[in-house]
Amino acid sequence: MEPRRAGGGAVEMLVDDAPAVSAQTPTIDDDHPPSVGDALLPRWVRFTGWGLLGLQLLAMLAFSTVQYSRYALTADFANYSQAWWAIAHGHLDPYSSGLGVSFWKDNAEFVLWPLSLLYHVYPHPIDLLWVQDVAVVMTELVAFGWIRKAIERAHGSIPHRAAPLLALAAAVVLVVNPWVYETIAFDFHFEPIAALFCVLVGYNLWAGRIRWLWWLVPLALICHVLAGFYLLGVGFSGLLAGSRTRRPGAVIAAIGLAWVFVFSAVGAAGVNGQFVTSSYGYLVGPHHGRIGLL
């Protein structure tokens, strides 16, 4: 039986699709998109996972609020807050006094420009911490949905009674992972927001929703120059996964690598082009010349 393609809207793209319309389970192979519309797991698994992640989000928002109110943040937050305020007030090429360069030369984090609109909703820099909390939990939400769909796809090799427990265990692991809390506790950074879009790129590539990649890949790239490396990994995964994802995987990998090269060349990888030197320069030993990507 040919697996049916999921149309789906934006919400469906993130985590779920419409309920099953047939009791018969489709057969899926490597050359066809997985069926993402046939719900094989009971609904309580989905709702329990969502409930755990919802509680986690509330805890993160509360933590960020306390952290902000006690000034328990670093110079990174000061740099982002300054640029966020300046953009919101019409300074579209803000200078970062903490970094000593124009803000866009700090890892090409162009997503701060649309995020500056939040100033006109609630004019306090804590907005950035809350956005980070939401992005982290949304990433977990996508991962949880992806895991559930993968379990449904592999239903023939997983005992029927074990499948719901396996999916629920995945949600528990996401919630108790200590590095998730380290991420939101260590100031504000754009890598977690880039990761959200990169995970969405991987999920939609796996699910065969190629048209969504036209939006998700650019959104990932404008978050951070490192997203180019993330997408390089996603693209290679697509190359190795099978013929269905080989071509889009190659395109994603090429775009990611090109993004890193371009912004390294113009001095916007790291702070003013010092990403490779400051982070990885020690690998080449006592080298006195310029250390580039190659």
Side-chain angles (χ1 to χ4, degrees):
M1 179 179 178
E2 180 76 8
R4 60 187 179 85
R5 299 292 293 269
V11 175
E12 294 172 350
M13 173 198 69
L14 290 174
V15 290
D16 273 297
D17 295 277
V21 296
S22 171
Q24 185 176 358
T25 302
T27 300
I28 303 169
D29 57 51
D30 288 338
D31 293 325
H32 293 84
S35 175
V36 290
D38 293 84
L40 304 176
L41 292 173
R43 290 186 176 182
W44 66 264
V45 173
R46 183 190 318 171
F47 294 136
T48 302
W50 289 354
L52 290 174
L53 293 173
L55 292 174
Q56 182 190 44
L57 176 59
L58 292 177
M60 287 182 172
L61 293 171
F63 174 84
S64 294
T65 302
V66 173
Q67 185 182 38
Y68 177 82
S69 66
R70 296 183 179 180
Y71 307 97
L73 297 160
T74 72
D76 284 349
F77 187 75
N79 295 329
Y80 287 118
S81 300
Q82 181 189 44
W84 179 77
W85 185 94
I87 296 169
H89 287 79
H91 305 286
L92 299 184
D93 185 17
Y95 180 82
S96 175
S97 57
L99 299 172
V101 296
S102 293
F103 179 77
W104 73 272
K105 287 194 172 184
D106 179 26
N107 288 304
E109 295 163 324
F110 298 113
V111 74
L112 188 65
W113 273 253
L115 283 181
S116 67
L117 296 174
L118 292 174
Y119 177 90
H120 303 287
V121 178
Y122 187 68
H124 301 280
I126 193 175
D127 293 355
L128 297 175
L129 297 178
W130 289 341
V131 165
Q132 181 173 252
D133 296 339
V134 172
V136 168
V137 175
M138 286 185 67
T139 305
E140 295 177 309
L141 188 65
V142 176
F144 176 57
W146 192 350
I147 291 168
R148 288 191 357 260
K149 296 303 179 183
I151 291 173
E152 292 175 352
R153 183 180 183 184
H155 67 281
S157 58
I158 299 177
H160 180 69
R161 293 183 178 180
L165 297 178
L166 185 60
L168 188 58
V172 172
V173 168
L174 290 170
V175 171
V176 302
N177 177 13
W179 298 110
V180 174
Y181 303 97
E182 171 71 11
T183 297
I184 64 108
F186 185 57
D187 219 317
F188 171 83
H189 298 91
F190 278 110
E191 288 91 339
I193 301 175
L196 168 61
F197 293 115
C198 289
V199 172
L200 280 168
V201 168
Y203 176 51
N204 282 275
L205 179 64
W206 176 84
R209 303 191 189 100
I210 305 302
R211 68 182 183 276
W212 283 106
L213 304 182
W214 289 97
W215 299 96
L216 294 172
V217 169
L219 286 172
L221 292 174
I222 66 171
C223 290
H224 201 288
V225 71
L226 276 178
F229 282 130
Y230 301 165
L231 292 177
L232 182 63
V234 173
F236 272 121
S237 299
L239 282 169
L240 299 174
S243 59
R244 179 178 59 84
T245 58
R246 190 165 296 135
R247 181 177 297 179
V251 173
I252 292 170
I255 291 174
L257 187 60
W259 189 264
V260 175
F261 268 105
V262 167
F263 283 97
S264 295
V266 300
V271 178
N272 202 25
Q274 299 300 309
F275 167 68
V276 177
T277 304
S278 61
S279 299
Y280 304 106
Y282 70 94
L283 294 174
V284 301
H287 179 77
H288 299 293
R290 180 181 181 275
I291 301 174
L293 199 60
L294 293 179

